[in-house]
Amino acid sequence: MNHYLPVARQHFLAAFASTSVVVKTLSAVVVLLYLLSWAVDTPYSLGVTPGYLFPPNFWVWTLVTHGVVEQHIWAMVANVGTVLASGRLLEPLWGALELLIFFTVVNVSAGLLAGLSYLLTYVATFDLDFLFAVRVHGAAGFLGGVLVALKQTMGDTTVLRVPQVRLKAAPALALLLLALLRLSGLLNSSAPLAAYSYGALSGWVYLRFYQRHSRGRGDMSDHFAFASFFPEALQPAVGLLAGLVHLALVKMKVCRKMVKRYDVGAPSSITISLPGTDPQDAERRRQLALKALNERLKRVEDQSVWPSMDDEEDDDEDEVRTDTQLLLPGGLEPFPTPKQAVAPVVTSQSSTSSSSMSQSGASSTGGAQHPESSIICFEDAPSRS
């Protein structure tokens, strides 16, 4: 443990030093309010209490401050880690000002929706604990928004290899984990679960429809649809329900209708673009697909056994020699090639033998002259001892 603490401290300081003023300020505020919670009940005065948020009290400042209030050291570390992660991964893409806007929108929306939910629960149950005993505070709401933003920007990144978990499944897995902790009793309140749910929802709505960037506003791509947060078996039903809700919100002038642009002047073919889709994101996905394809082809090449190229060339030469070799009239072979020719040896003994063989052949055939008698024989030179 003593070996890993200096390394973790070094990485933390390096990450903290490379962030902007916005991230450093938010992290410092979280640490200061945690230290202040030792003397003051900060969740009561700075957290969202549903009974004090709405009339007649109107503690509206708690909608801004509840996201940086922590009472436990592990919660403070998680809060600072969430802020630093957003600064390292999202701030280079958005900028410091956009990150601050996203932080404010997510926390205000999560606090407001959570307080309204507890107010409706009180109306249904008439239990005052839902109004005055609940404290909504901490990084749960902003954590939900950050995970949704990471799904949008780098959803194909692998978080775990065994089992394989991609970053696009992180929002649903975190929600499931919080639900299990609440059911098991490890969480003494449902406020973190409510804050996380509404933080993720408000973050998706803002990124989907309202975030301004160089390509327009929002992100209407299919991989960031609301149904993509659910398992594949539930996506058709969720997509149908989300489409109906979107149509209702469009008629209420809350959301904008999705508009498709057709580029008729494109040189290759007609291209369809959606507002908010990023060409860099498409290029990144193409590079990932090419990398996976290259790795798969490399594995196939390593497993295959290729024959020797020299053997194939030798077989081809033998086939060419066999096919191109012609026979002379009378069934005789042609003269040998330069490779196959041997030195001719002309001696008196070989000439006498040839003449005797020709004469015997002529007598056996009834005096007919055989064509072989006119051919010079090539024999191997006798070895000299």
Side-chain angles (χ1 to χ4, degrees), residues 80-91:
V80 174
T82 303
V83 175
L84 289 179
S86 64
R88 291 295 299 273
L89 300 176
L90 298 178
E91 189 178 19

Side-chain angles (χ1 to χ4, degrees), residues 123-143:
V123 172
T125 60
F126 294 99
D127 188 356
L128 290 176
D129 290 340
F130 290 107
L131 288 182
F132 300 102
V134 174
R135 303 285 187 270
V136 180
H137 65 89
F142 186 57
L143 176 62

Side-chain angles (χ1 to χ4, degrees), residues 42 75 84 93 104 148 201 219 226 312 379 382:
T42 52
L84 289 179
L93 301 176
T104 305
V148 169
L201 179 62
D219 184 0
F226 185 75
E312 291 183 356
E379 295 180 357

Side-chain angles (χ1 to χ4, degrees), residues 184-245:
S184 62
L186 297 177
L187 287 179
N188 55 5
S189 175
S190 60
L193 179 61
Y196 176 85
S197 303
Y198 289 119
L201 179 62
S202 59
W204 176 80
V205 171
Y206 174 75
L207 295 176
R208 181 74 169 177
F209 300 103
Y210 299 105
Q211 185 187 36
R212 291 182 178 273
H213 41 71
S214 60
R215 303 172 307 277
R217 177 183 292 184
D219 184 0
M220 304 303 295
S221 56
D222 293 335
H223 78 276
F224 196 55
F226 185 75
S228 63
F229 290 88
F230 294 85
E232 294 182 0
L234 300 177
Q235 287 184 6
V238 175
L240 179 61
L241 180 61
L244 295 177
V245 174

